[in-house]
Amino acid sequence: TVTTAELNYVDGVTSAVQTQLDAKGAKAGGNTWTGSQIGTPTDVGTKTANFDFDLTTANNFKITIGANAKEFGFSGMANAVGQSGTIEVVNGAYTLKYGGEIHFVGGTAPTLTQSATSFLAYYVPSNSVVFVQHMLDVKAQS
């Protein structure tokens, strides 16, 4: 049988823990994780103008290219050193340009397959560079 004193003690500990959680709940800045993280890609919608992925808002993104010869790049890199993620690019038959901060593996920017979905994996090694590897025209097995 649990005594009233024991119940009061548990209630007091629970209240103290909740107070600490409430005080720590609004953390400024990024987190360092030791385990895997799963996140739903942030869909930035159809873009017909130049666009920067804000790395302070998410790791994984989805974008639909809706106009010819538009450029995309990254912002928020000063706070994203060490960050990695993916970008799903739905290309509606348009040519895409890339910001000067983007460095492609192999040194050559890819031509995304038109009317297809491609993926760009990225890593931010410094506050002015993003390394990118591409996976073009990704399809289900047939």
Side-chain angles (χ1 to χ4, degrees), residues 116-135:
T117 297
S118 297
F119 289 85
L120 304 174
Y122 72 87
Y123 174 73
V124 183
S126 75
N127 63 2
S128 61
V129 173
V130 179
F131 293 148
V132 177
Q133 174 65 50
H134 52 277
M135 297 164 270

Side-chain angles (χ1 to χ4, degrees), residues 3 18-19 38 40 43 49 51 68 72-73 78 82 90 93 105-106 109 113 118 121 123-124 128 130 133 135 141-142:
T3 68
Q18 187 61 54
T19 299
I38 300 170
T40 302
D43 190 341
F51 180 77
N68 201 34
F72 81 70
V90 179
V105 175
T113 306
S118 297
Y123 174 73
V124 183
S128 61
V130 179
Q133 174 65 50
M135 297 164 270
Q141 295 183 38
S142 54

Side-chain angles (χ1 to χ4, degrees), residues 6-28:
E6 290 169 326
L7 286 175
N8 288 340
Y9 175 77
V10 171
D11 286 344
V13 170
T14 303
S15 178
V17 169
Q18 187 61 54
T19 299
Q20 289 298 313
L21 289 173
D22 291 343
K24 304 281 184 193
K27 183 180 181 304

